[in-house]
Amino acid sequence: MSTAAAADGAQPPPPATGRTGLGLTGTALTGLALSRAVVDRSAHLRADSAWLATAWADPRTRVLPVQHGRALCQVADGYARLTFVSPADAPDGVRFLLGTDAAGLAYFGVAGPLPEPDEPDVRAAHLREVGPLLSDRDAGLMTHAVALANWHETFTHCPRCGAATNPVSSGHARKCPVDDSEHFPRVDPAMIVLVTDPADRCLLARNVLWPPRRVSILAGFVEAGESAEHAVAREVHEETGIVVGVVRYLGSQPWPMPQSLMLGFRAEADGEQQIQVDDEEIAEANWYSREDLTRAIDTGELLLPPPVSIAHHIIQTWYGADLPGSW
Ligand SMILES: [Zn+2]
């Protein structure tokens, strides 16, 4: 594999700030690691077979192989960089156009086996690990590629007739050869919400599946035929017995592990209320003031979600500063 041929040359790695979101999701949530994107998705080129053939024949074209949510990355202290291959070195697998950059370079993903790394600091890495360490360009490319690769790995057959479907639209859809039905990547919307009480304390809960001390804000999938706001009110009430009044949307982050879109909210409890956990999903839940939380982190009593998660950033909007502790 000649990773060097398609790598970024000798330039120093771009800073991985993890805080340079587009700002499209609201001023409160600009540091979302997986909501960053620089490369234009170029949807108008997905059906242009002549352009696609030319781009694939161009040795400058950069291809990102992805398998089981992982891609080859150069990982060093505090930053990570995607390792691309040229089209000639790309593995077999479903190919999809990720887009084009300002210099006219084309980026593709391939859902297929990862090439053997040929440099000591290059290895297969999961999006959850390297997402916050990648540049804006690489974070957007890898999130897009992992989402599509996960879908192609899983949704291989027609839900109507059971026939094997074929990728179309440069890997952004699949089509059934028997009944001509078209199928698009599945994305499951989920809401995640920080609830405050009238004293501006924050509701943190521990899921029954999590280790001791780990807490976060409440989350759940939006059900069929339900608005995201209604899902917020329903999940909060089901899991903790709390009735919320005001619900405010903050922003979103794709979480393609395997196929979620996290919709972030703040909500206010409707007056003073007693917490009653459901015991099925939630093991315990409590109100925390900022002082309570700082102390619980200092003493190691609580562990908060890591910076790659939207939960971390939503808690930060309430806490008013970078969160203390480690994750
Ligand atoms: Zn079919």
Side-chain angles (χ1 to χ4, degrees):
M1 182 190 73
S2 58
T3 50
D8 278 333
Q11 303 156 358
T17 61
R19 298 190 170 279
T20 49
L22 280 179
L24 293 178
T25 57
T27 52
L29 284 182
T30 49
L32 300 173
L34 307 188
S35 294
R36 298 174 291 157
V38 170
V39 169
D40 188 285
R41 290 190 170 219
S42 304
H44 62 291
L45 297 172
R46 290 174 192 162
D48 188 337
S49 49
W51 183 90
L52 290 167
T54 303
W56 193 257
D58 186 341
R60 294 173 304 166
T61 290
R62 292 164 172 177
V63 183
L64 184 68
V66 174
Q67 186 179 38
H68 308 319
R70 303 195 304 167
L72 286 188
C73 295
Q74 182 189 10
V75 187
D77 193 23
Y79 79 92
R81 182 156 66 174
L82 292 179
T83 301
F84 301 98
V85 298
S86 65
D89 291 320
D92 288 337
V94 177
R95 184 191 307 171
F96 37 86
L97 177 65
L98 295 173
T100 53
D101 69 14
L105 284 177
Y107 295 83
F108 287 84
V110 170
L114 301 184
E116 276 300 314
D118 58 4
E119 289 169 48
D121 57 349
V122 173
R123 60 177 171 82
H126 198 278
L127 183 57
R128 193 191 302 264
E129 174 198 353
V130 294
L133 305 178
L134 294 168
S135 68
D136 292 355
R137 184 201 70 178
D138 284 5
L141 286 170
M142 186 169 176
T143 304
H144 189 179
V146 165
L148 281 174
N150 284 348
W151 178 61
H152 286 296
E153 284 173 6
T154 312
F155 290 83
T156 53
H157 287 70
C158 177
R160 295 189 185 181
C161 75
T165 53
N166 302 313
V168 293
S169 193
S170 197
H172 287 260
R174 298 183 70 97
K175 194 165 187 177
C176 176
V178 176
D179 57 27
D180 270 348
S181 60
E182 262 197 289
H183 307 278
F184 296 91
R186 174 168 167 171
V187 178
D188 297 339
M191 70 79 208
I192 181 159
V193 59
L194 183 145
V195 183
T196 49
D197 74 355
D200 201 27
R201 294 181 301 172
C202 159
L203 184 59
L204 293 173
R206 184 168 67 80
N207 190 288
V208 292
L209 302 174
W210 295 349
R213 303 190 296 143
R214 171 72 63 193
V215 292
S216 187
I217 52 180
L218 301 176
F221 286 110
V222 180
E223 293 192 341
E226 183 180 45
S227 73
E229 297 86 338
H230 197 96
V232 168
R234 176 183 55 74
E235 285 278 354
V236 171
H237 187 252
E238 282 176 7
E239 295 183 349
T240 63
I242 300 294
V243 175
V244 296
V246 179
V247 174
R248 186 161 57 94
Y249 176 67
L250 298 180
S252 67
Q253 172 164 259
W255 194 252
M257 296 166 254
Q259 58 199 22
S260 295
L261 173 64
M262 304 302 299
L263 306 168
F265 291 88
R266 290 277 299 263
E268 294 172 20
D270 215 1
E272 295 278 356
Q273 295 176 54
Q274 203 68 37
I275 295 170
Q276 279 196 308
V277 295
D278 70 353
D279 287 330
E280 276 180 35
E281 273 190 78
I282 302 296
E284 54 185 317
N286 291 293
W287 296 110
Y288 292 88
S289 69
R290 292 171 184 80
E291 295 71 31
D292 293 338
L293 185 61
T294 307
R295 195 178 322 115
I297 299 298
D298 283 349
T299 60
E301 186 188 323
L302 292 185
L303 287 174
L304 292 174
V308 69
S309 66
I310 191 173
H312 183 99
H313 293 270
I314 295 175
I315 297 171
Q316 226 159 238
T317 67
W318 165 82
Y319 190 72
D322 285 351
L323 294 179
S326 55
W327 0 88

